[in-house]
Amino acid sequence: MREAIVVGAGIGGLAAAKGLLDAGWRVTVLEEASALREVGAGVALGRNALAALDALDLGDAVRAVGVDALLQGVRTAQGTRLLRATEFDSSSFVGIHRTTLHRILADAVGDAEVVTDATVVRVHPGARPRVELVEAGEQRERVADLVVGADGIDSVVRAAIRDDLPVDPSGSTCWRGVVARRDDTPPGATQWYGAGTEVGIMPIDGDRVFWYVAARARVGTAAPDEHSAAIAAARGFEEVVRAHVSAEPEAPVLRHDLRLLPTGLRTFVAPGVALLGDAAHAMLPTLGQGAAMALEDAATLGVLAARDDVDELLGAYDALRRPRTQSLQRLAYEVYRSCLAVRQPVLAALRNGILHLVPTLAAEIATDWMLRWSPPRR
Ligand SMILES: Cc1cc2nc3c(=O)[nH]c(=O)nc-3n(C[C@H](O)[C@H](O)[C@H](O)COP(=O)(O)OP(=O)(O)OC[C@H]3O[C@@H](n4cnc5c(N)ncnc54)[C@H](O)[C@@H]3O)c2cc1C
């Protein structure tokens, strides 16, 4: 039986483990945290993410708990409609808490050996790639036929392919919270664009609502009370936004600076090694596609893992995944530059005027391109 080591037990790593198990591999997942858990709030899963989950036999489990989060379009801070929703496929968006999605994935990899408190420090590519790690305080080494680097934006595995790719801090930050559903909660995922500030609200499982507030901010700053800081950042938005952001959160409000990887990777693979998810193509969340891309990567790897030759598998994986994910990385950055990064009110008003003129059909075609994906044939 061929052996794979997956580094990282986030959404991407667990999904990759599931795909490899289904293809008949023995799988070990190494996770540096002391327990399997996902940090975060809500995530919107579009048609492409659901197709990836279907390929991993998990689509129905996710649809059973997630809620319909059909895109409702984009509004100005005061609520004027800018871009209409893409109404052509009402079954295409599911809103779900990230911890719920993570639990479904974790439950599905029971046949893998999952090792927590295991920090990978270096990966040596080769026909039998070697992994150096610190496991429960002890230095150890493991070998396998394939190592999958699903260790997020600050990936250590990435150094086996390229070690000089700087992570870009972007200059914006994002607060996220989960609150109980309210009478005025929009029926699907809705965004509001202000000047240098953006808010999104989306229903998720458990009769809850996920909100985020993204704003320009100095890198690495923290507020004494992040919930109050998020409320202050959303001050100029319409009442429905302020009501959701200021409602009592079910857990402390999270704050993360928004970071991205440049598209400088010429390959996602080295002998015996593949990068997946944020480790390969961390993108700004402006398109809501980061987790979806990790799921697409994992489903693709799962299909290709049936091939006998690992080099051929890796070549096909790189050819299928790199062009698409790097296009979305670039697009997410362009959306960021023309929306969240626009701080001056006059320029924001100009942007709103332009967005207002974009025909619904054009928005639908762009969204359809992004969400149109299916796994390779087995
Ligand atoms: C504000 C915000 C909103 C977002 N909204 C959406 C959305 O609506 N839809 C969407 O699709 N995406 C969204 N995303 C993006 C999405 O969250 C990420 O793209 C996705 O979680 C990446 O998953 P991953 O498994 O690749 O990496 P991660 O989730 O970062 O997981 C990496 C794992 O590896 C472990 N690890 C790291 N280093 C090591 C090591 N050396 N050894 C062992 N283990 C290690 C970590 O502990 C972690 O468990 C959003 C992101 C942000 C910041």
Side-chain angles (χ1 to χ4, degrees):
M1 199 186 240
R2 291 186 294 174
E3 291 175 272
I5 292 174
V6 177
V7 184
I11 288 167
L14 292 180
K18 173 70 164 72
L20 289 161
L21 286 170
D22 289 351
W25 289 60
R26 179 179 298 150
V27 180
T28 302
V29 182
L30 303 175
E31 167 55 49
E32 72 176 350
S34 55
L36 276 198
R37 61 169 174 259
E38 177 67 24
V39 178
V43 63
L45 299 173
R47 195 150 35 99
N48 55 331
L50 294 168
L53 286 161
D54 283 334
L56 297 167
D57 278 337
L58 296 173
D60 289 343
V62 168
R63 286 186 193 89
V65 284
V67 303
D68 185 0
L70 176 63
L71 300 182
Q72 299 294 303
V74 178
R75 295 169 178 274
T76 64
Q78 285 71 42
T80 306
R81 190 185 278 273
L82 286 176
L83 270 182
R84 288 191 63 81
T86 54
E87 284 155 354
F88 58 100
D89 184 354
S90 62
S91 63
S92 63
F93 268 88
V94 165
I96 192 166
H97 200 293
R98 288 168 63 98
T99 53
T100 311
L101 174 62
H102 193 258
R103 199 182 56 240
I104 291 171
L105 291 165
D107 288 348
V109 299
D111 290 336
E113 180 195 7
V114 179
V115 188
T116 52
D117 199 6
T119 304
V120 170
V121 290
R122 193 161 176 198
V123 170
H124 303 267
R128 292 276 288 166
R130 269 189 309 126
V131 175
E132 289 177 34
L133 67 150
V134 178
E135 195 177 316
E138 304 267 315
Q139 292 204 340
R140 292 206 46 189
E141 194 170 288
R142 289 175 180 252
V143 290
D145 300 290
L146 175 67
V147 173
V148 179
D151 49 343
I153 189 168
D154 297 308
S155 173
V156 165
V157 182
R158 194 165 60 236
I161 292 167
R162 187 168 164 184
D163 64 1
D164 62 347
L165 203 59
V167 172
D168 183 339
S170 95
S172 294
T173 198
C174 186
W175 293 271
R176 290 183 279 176
V178 172
V179 299
R181 197 172 187 138
R182 301 165 43 92
D183 290 343
D184 58 354
T185 297
T190 311
Q191 288 174 295
W192 289 259
Y193 288 172
T197 313
E198 178 185 323
V199 181
I201 293 180
M202 177 183 76
I204 58 170
D205 55 298
D207 226 13
R208 296 174 292 177
V209 182
F210 157 59
W211 59 256
Y212 73 82
V213 178
R216 303 285 291 166
R218 211 148 26 91
V219 178
T221 44
D225 173 358
E226 296 296 1
H227 190 198
S228 300
I231 293 169
R235 201 186 293 124
F237 285 72
E238 65 169 320
E239 167 59 21
V240 63
V241 170
R242 287 184 279 119
H244 281 80
V245 175
S246 57
E248 185 64 27
E250 71 163 23
V253 166
L254 298 167
R255 174 178 182 168
H256 295 100
D257 284 348
L258 297 178
R259 301 186 300 148
L260 69 149
L261 268 189
T263 51
L265 282 178
R266 295 230 171 109
T267 176
F268 286 175
V269 301
V273 179
L275 293 180
L276 180 148
D278 278 8
H281 45 66
M283 58 188 71
L284 289 169
T286 46
L287 302 172
Q289 283 294 311
M293 288 302 113
L295 292 169
E296 286 187 13
D297 290 347
T300 303
L301 192 69
V303 171
L304 298 174
R307 298 191 182 185
D308 293 333
D309 185 333
V310 173
D311 289 341
E312 192 194 313
L313 177 176
L314 291 171
Y317 173 78
D318 185 49
L320 284 169
R321 296 309 303 155
R322 201 160 38 84
R324 173 162 166 80
T325 53
Q326 291 187 337
S327 297
L328 282 174
Q329 265 179 298
R330 280 189 283 269
L331 183 59
Y333 184 69
E334 289 310 321
V335 172
Y336 171 78
R337 279 201 333 149
S338 51
C339 297
L340 184 54
V342 177
R343 252 193 296 198
Q344 284 79 11
V346 175
L347 291 179
L350 185 65
R351 171 207 61 203
N352 290 351
I354 294 167
L355 281 177
H356 194 64
L357 293 175
V358 173
T360 305
L361 185 62
E364 288 191 348
I365 288 170
T367 310
D368 187 49
W369 168 80
M370 184 172 80
L371 301 179
R372 187 186 290 277
W373 181 84
S374 50
R377 286 174 191 275
R378 283 185 193 277

